[in-house]
Amino acid sequence: MQIIPAIDIKDGHCVRLRQGDMHSATIFSEDPAAMAQHWLEQGAQRLHLVDLNGAVAGKPRNELAIREIVSVIGEEIPVQLGGGIRDLDTIERYLDDGLSYIVIGTAAVKNPGFLHDACSAFPGHILVGLDARDGKVATDGWSKMTGHDVVDLARKLEDYGVEGIIYTDIGRDGMLTGINVDATVKLAREIRLPVIASGGLSSIADIERLVKHEADGIIGAIAGRAIYEGTLNFKDALKAAGN
């Protein structure tokens, strides 16, 4: 199972938020590309980027920082990006820049036709980010709750040709309270798509619990605040995940 460092970008800086609150950003680096290089050297097998300003604006806002990260990483490991990606031209531009996967979140829920077109135009490159609280999907940078059940929605996405699901429990994200393993496993068991766990990863115990369910389709976990604040040692996390 992969442990995937998150690089959340706000105003060109690498930050972490608490429960998606843009006003609670902690800056961990002024240089996201240097942070990407750091995680590569630490043994990361994949990186997860989020354009936080883009997620709020509904269009890219940190393209320069993202390009710099891709230029540093090259083709050594896959890099995935989410945040404000709402049209095919943006996807094409980012893939041409060297990104491996595009994460579609709000647009996948609000505009399934767009998701279908994206999967058709860029097969193998589209992930869907499902953010949920109490089993219901949230959109627009977590600011709006929908009535969609996360499992029901994920099942509908299977036929679109989506490459995988990133599942975030938004009540836990950035809070170091532990991954919602039960909800993640429930989702993974109900669908055929691979699932990446996200939101609140805080300990080796979280990883050990997730690893037990690799056979259910959990292929990775995104690590954020814990590896930046040092409460979770990244190399120990890799070892616990079997890397």
Side-chain angles (χ1 to χ4, degrees):
M1 191 179 81
Q2 293 182 337
I3 303 299
I4 306 167
I7 299 178
D8 290 2
I9 305 166
K10 179 176 184 278
D11 305 329
H13 301 146
C14 173
V15 307
R16 295 302 297 168
L17 307 182
R18 293 184 186 276
Q19 295 182 313
D21 180 2
M22 289 288 277
H23 301 294
S24 69
T26 304
I27 296 175
F28 285 103
S29 173
E30 306 265 326
D31 187 347
M35 188 58 70
Q37 180 68 39
H38 168 74
W39 296 126
L40 179 65
E41 290 169 356
Q42 290 289 305
Q45 298 166 307
R46 186 190 289 217
L47 291 179
H48 177 75
L49 313 185
V50 182
D51 180 348
L52 291 172
N53 303 102
V56 174
K59 52 188 172 184
R61 282 287 187 255
N62 286 286
E63 285 191 76
L64 178 60
I66 290 158
R67 283 200 192 97
E68 288 173 349
I69 289 170
V70 174
S71 69
V72 164
I73 297 300
E75 297 181 359
E76 295 204 44
I77 59 173
V79 180
Q80 61 198 40
L81 167 71
I85 299 169
R86 310 278 164 87
D87 62 76
L88 297 180
D89 288 344
T90 301
I91 295 174
E92 184 171 28
R93 192 165 70 246
Y94 275 136
L95 292 175
D96 286 346
D97 285 343
L99 286 156
S100 304
Y101 302 103
I102 299 300
V103 183
I104 299 176
T106 293
V109 181
K110 290 187 163 183
N111 188 357
F114 163 64
L115 178 65
H116 187 274
D117 291 344
C119 291
S120 298
F122 310 106
H125 294 285
I126 305 299
L127 302 170
V128 169
L130 290 182
D131 306 326
R133 179 183 279 120
D134 300 326
K136 299 297 182 183
V137 175
T139 62
D140 298 276
W142 306 350
S143 63
K144 297 177 183 175
M145 295 303 299
T146 74
H148 293 291
D149 178 84
V150 69
V151 172
D152 289 345
L153 184 58
R155 282 187 183 136
K156 291 176 184 174
L157 300 177
E158 288 183 313
D159 297 329
Y160 282 58
V162 170
E163 191 68 10
I165 301 284
I166 299 171
Y167 175 67
T168 305
D169 184 316
I170 62 178
R172 301 190 182 212
D173 188 77
M175 302 303 289
L176 298 179
T177 51
I179 287 260
N180 190 335
V181 176
D182 292 341
T184 306
V185 171
K186 179 187 175 188
L187 176 63
R189 284 176 172 167
E190 294 284 345
I191 61 175
R192 300 184 303 274
L193 297 169
V195 173
I196 295 173
S198 174
L201 182 72
S202 61
S203 67
I204 295 296
D206 281 340
I207 296 167
E208 290 171 345
R209 287 183 67 201
L210 285 169
V211 165
K212 291 176 184 175
H213 297 282
E214 260 190 289
D216 291 316
I218 298 175
I219 63 166
I222 292 171
R225 183 174 289 274
I227 58 173
Y228 284 97
E229 293 189 345
T231 55
L232 177 64
N233 179 279
F234 185 65
K235 290 194 171 181
D236 289 345
L238 291 177
K239 197 177 298 180
N243 301 309

